[in-house]
Amino acid sequence: MVLAGGGAAFRIGGSGDLQAGPGTFESLTGGSLGQPRRVIRSQASWCASFAVNAGLFGIGPGTGVAVLGGLVHSLALYAAIEALHLGADLHLLAPMRPDRQAQALAMRAVQVVYATPAQLRPVVSAAGHLPALRHVVVGGATLDKALRSAVQALAPHAVVHEFYGAAETSFVTLASGSLAGDAAGCVGHAYSGVQLQVDGQGLVWVRSPYVFQGYAGADHGSAQWQGDWLTVGEMGQMTPQGLILRGRAGRMVSVADRNVFPEEIEQFLLTLPGVQRAAVLPVADAARGHVLLAVLTGDAAQEDNILRALRQKLGPTLAPKTLIWRQDWPLLASGKTDLVHLQAEVASWR
């Protein structure tokens, strides 16, 4: 009954009493700014997009669909239920090491993969050639150019699809093939059935059949409603190329009386040679309100070039003046960067 949009309520992961009722379920937000929140949505809200994706990604009976993440993450849970709903052959690869995941993708001739960039990166590094792969569906974070190129080299017949969405909204925009990642911060055009608008303050509002019903538990969350329009606090602008995201209002920080979105600087850093992962974090400063520093993984020998590029792009006031290099990268179950962990580390270093 769940696969048909009805049936008993359920949740994978999280804590506390289940508050969803018949025909609904609970999933978890990514939790990049704190503990994951529980959201309640109708089972029909996910089923509504299954038919859309059947056409977009060629999912149907006999199609091999692989999910790299654990089902506690809403992207992985969505992909798994979608595959079953459409009669595809589902391959849950989360328990495997990345090299074993790469082997499974090749040996099983998987055609569609759902993953976050963090889940893809070690698999791509371990894989040889995936000629059967036709669609790579990426969500949860921006896919940097180096990783996108590596995916295309590994799977030359595959189309890379990047979507923007949230646990509260499901699919919002989609960029595919050569459109994916063309402009900095551009996340493509509205997904089928989705309406978008940006208000005078720059907040992105969504109306669609895929949005959630509300939060479960004591945490009332950050989403806001105006009638049947929903915002999760993302700031952006509409352009002919598609929606350009600047960042979450909750991460916006003031530096020398100027509002700065760390996500914009992170996206720029990921275009620079030597940068594999990036997080830009604020540190309190008596003179300017805040200063910014960047935590990176990659080639530390490129530090001088990276700092120079930051100054040229942002100017001496806004550019991060300190780069902190680390080999490991703290991730949440959703595959997103654990910003709370990094911010705590930065505070302890100072």
Side-chain angles (χ1 to χ4, degrees), residues 299-311 323 325:
D299 183 3
Q302 295 289 332
E303 178 162 333
D304 289 344
N305 294 330
I306 293 168
L307 288 171
R308 187 179 306 111
L310 285 168
R311 289 192 296 269
L323 306 184
W325 296 88

mmCIF file of all heavy atoms in Angstrom, residues 299-311 323 325:
data_model
loop_
_atom_site.group_PDB
_atom_site.id
_atom_site.type_symbol
_atom_site.label_atom_id
_atom_site.label_comp_id
_atom_site.label_asym_id
_atom_site.label_seq_id
_atom_site.Cartn_x
_atom_site.Cartn_y
_atom_site.Cartn_z
ATOM 1 N N ASP A 299 44.893 19.859 -2.296
ATOM 2 C CA ASP A 299 46.336 20.055 -2.452
ATOM 3 C C ASP A 299 46.764 21.339 -1.734
ATOM 4 O O ASP A 299 46.591 22.439 -2.260
ATOM 5 C CB ASP A 299 46.685 20.128 -3.940
ATOM 6 C CG ASP A 299 48.175 20.268 -4.190
ATOM 7 O OD1 ASP A 299 48.957 20.244 -3.214
ATOM 8 O OD2 ASP A 299 48.559 20.429 -5.363
ATOM 9 N N ALA A 300 47.327 21.183 -0.557
ATOM 10 C CA ALA A 300 47.737 22.349 0.231
ATOM 11 C C ALA A 300 48.838 23.157 -0.432
ATOM 12 O O ALA A 300 49.045 24.327 -0.105
ATOM 13 C CB ALA A 300 48.192 21.905 1.621
ATOM 14 N N ALA A 301 49.522 22.569 -1.399
ATOM 15 C CA ALA A 301 50.565 23.309 -2.117
ATOM 16 C C ALA A 301 49.970 24.447 -2.947
ATOM 17 O O ALA A 301 50.707 25.359 -3.360
ATOM 18 C CB ALA A 301 51.356 22.363 -3.014
ATOM 19 N N GLN A 302 48.664 24.420 -3.178
ATOM 20 C CA GLN A 302 47.997 25.465 -3.952
ATOM 21 C C GLN A 302 47.514 26.629 -3.082
ATOM 22 O O GLN A 302 46.828 27.527 -3.583
ATOM 23 C CB GLN A 302 46.793 24.871 -4.694
ATOM 24 C CG GLN A 302 47.137 23.852 -5.752
ATOM 25 C CD GLN A 302 47.787 24.496 -6.961
ATOM 26 O OE1 GLN A 302 47.557 25.655 -7.271
ATOM 27 N NE2 GLN A 302 48.639 23.739 -7.638
ATOM 28 N N GLU A 303 47.890 26.632 -1.799
ATOM 29 C CA GLU A 303 47.319 27.625 -0.869
ATOM 30 C C GLU A 303 47.533 29.058 -1.338
ATOM 31 O O GLU A 303 46.593 29.873 -1.329
ATOM 32 C CB GLU A 303 47.891 27.438 0.533
ATOM 33 C CG GLU A 303 47.370 28.480 1.517
ATOM 34 C CD GLU A 303 47.558 28.069 2.968
ATOM 35 O OE1 GLU A 303 47.593 26.854 3.249
ATOM 36 O OE2 GLU A 303 47.652 28.971 3.806
ATOM 37 N N ASP A 304 48.732 29.421 -1.737
ATOM 38 C CA ASP A 304 48.995 30.807 -2.149
ATOM 39 C C ASP A 304 48.124 31.189 -3.343
ATOM 40 O O ASP A 304 47.578 32.304 -3.403
ATOM 41 C CB ASP A 304 50.469 30.990 -2.494
ATOM 42 C CG ASP A 304 51.372 30.958 -1.259
ATOM 43 O OD1 ASP A 304 50.836 31.093 -0.138
ATOM 44 O OD2 ASP A 304 52.591 30.789 -1.422
ATOM 45 N N ASN A 305 47.985 30.285 -4.299
ATOM 46 C CA ASN A 305 47.151 30.566 -5.469
ATOM 47 C C ASN A 305 45.686 30.716 -5.085
ATOM 48 O O ASN A 305 44.965 31.562 -5.633
ATOM 49 C CB ASN A 305 47.301 29.454 -6.507
ATOM 50 C CG ASN A 305 48.685 29.395 -7.110
ATOM 51 O OD1 ASN A 305 49.370 30.420 -7.211
ATOM 52 N ND2 ASN A 305 49.112 28.211 -7.512
ATOM 53 N N ILE A 306 45.236 29.895 -4.148
ATOM 54 C CA ILE A 306 43.844 29.957 -3.709
ATOM 55 C C ILE A 306 43.570 31.270 -2.988
ATOM 56 O O ILE A 306 42.562 31.944 -3.243
ATOM 57 C CB ILE A 306 43.515 28.749 -2.809
ATOM 58 C CG1 ILE A 306 43.568 27.459 -3.631
ATOM 59 C CG2 ILE A 306 42.156 28.911 -2.146
ATOM 60 C CD1 ILE A 306 43.551 26.201 -2.796
ATOM 61 N N LEU A 307 44.462 31.670 -2.091
ATOM 62 C CA LEU A 307 44.279 32.935 -1.376
ATOM 63 C C LEU A 307 44.290 34.114 -2.343
ATOM 64 O O LEU A 307 43.506 35.060 -2.205
ATOM 65 C CB LEU A 307 45.378 33.095 -0.324
ATOM 66 C CG LEU A 307 45.268 32.174 0.897
ATOM 67 C CD1 LEU A 307 46.530 32.262 1.745
ATOM 68 C CD2 LEU A 307 44.041 32.540 1.737
ATOM 69 N N ARG A 308 45.154 34.053 -3.344
ATOM 70 C CA ARG A 308 45.219 35.124 -4.335
ATOM 71 C C ARG A 308 43.914 35.196 -5.134
ATOM 72 O O ARG A 308 43.374 36.278 -5.373
ATOM 73 C CB ARG A 308 46.404 34.892 -5.271
ATOM 74 C CG ARG A 308 46.675 36.051 -6.238
ATOM 75 C CD ARG A 308 47.873 35.773 -7.125
ATOM 76 N NE ARG A 308 49.054 35.430 -6.328
ATOM 77 C CZ ARG A 308 49.615 34.224 -6.274
ATOM 78 N NH1 ARG A 308 49.112 33.223 -6.986
ATOM 79 N NH2 ARG A 308 50.679 34.009 -5.542
ATOM 80 N N ALA A 309 43.392 34.044 -5.520
ATOM 81 C CA ALA A 309 42.143 34.013 -6.274
ATOM 82 C C ALA A 309 40.973 34.537 -5.434
ATOM 83 O O ALA A 309 40.087 35.239 -5.951
ATOM 84 C CB ALA A 309 41.858 32.587 -6.751
ATOM 85 N N LEU A 310 40.965 34.208 -4.151
ATOM 86 C CA LEU A 310 39.911 34.705 -3.264
ATOM 87 C C LEU A 310 39.951 36.226 -3.156
ATOM 88 O O LEU A 310 38.915 36.900 -3.200
ATOM 89 C CB LEU A 310 40.051 34.075 -1.876
ATOM 90 C CG LEU A 310 39.620 32.614 -1.745
ATOM 91 C CD1 LEU A 310 40.086 32.037 -0.416
ATOM 92 C CD2 LEU A 310 38.105 32.475 -1.876
ATOM 93 N N ARG A 311 41.147 36.790 -3.015
ATOM 94 C CA ARG A 311 41.267 38.250 -2.912
ATOM 95 C C ARG A 311 40.825 38.925 -4.209
ATOM 96 O O ARG A 311 40.167 39.966 -4.185
ATOM 97 C CB ARG A 311 42.700 38.636 -2.563
ATOM 98 C CG ARG A 311 43.101 38.292 -1.131
ATOM 99 C CD ARG A 311 44.410 38.959 -0.745
ATOM 100 N NE ARG A 311 45.523 38.472 -1.550
ATOM 101 C CZ ARG A 311 46.292 37.442 -1.207
ATOM 102 N NH1 ARG A 311 46.045 36.769 -0.095
ATOM 103 N NH2 ARG A 311 47.297 37.072 -1.976
ATOM 104 N N LEU A 323 43.253 29.569 5.551
ATOM 105 C CA LEU A 323 42.831 28.278 5.033
ATOM 106 C C LEU A 323 43.275 27.194 5.998
ATOM 107 O O LEU A 323 44.434 27.163 6.413
ATOM 108 C CB LEU A 323 43.439 28.007 3.652
ATOM 109 C CG LEU A 323 43.216 29.057 2.564
ATOM 110 C CD1 LEU A 323 43.815 28.577 1.242
ATOM 111 C CD2 LEU A 323 41.734 29.369 2.381
ATOM 112 N N TRP A 325 43.572 23.172 6.329
ATOM 113 C CA TRP A 325 43.553 21.944 5.525
ATOM 114 C C TRP A 325 43.369 20.733 6.422
ATOM 115 O O TRP A 325 43.956 20.649 7.503
ATOM 116 C CB TRP A 325 44.863 21.817 4.742
ATOM 117 C CG TRP A 325 45.061 22.907 3.743
ATOM 118 C CD1 TRP A 325 45.651 24.119 3.954
ATOM 119 C CD2 TRP A 325 44.636 22.897 2.381
ATOM 120 N NE1 TRP A 325 45.637 24.866 2.805
ATOM 121 C CE2 TRP A 325 45.021 24.140 1.813
ATOM 122 C CE3 TRP A 325 43.983 21.962 1.576
ATOM 123 C CZ2 TRP A 325 44.769 24.472 0.489
ATOM 124 C CZ3 TRP A 325 43.732 22.289 0.255
ATOM 125 C CH2 TRP A 325 44.122 23.530 -0.283
#
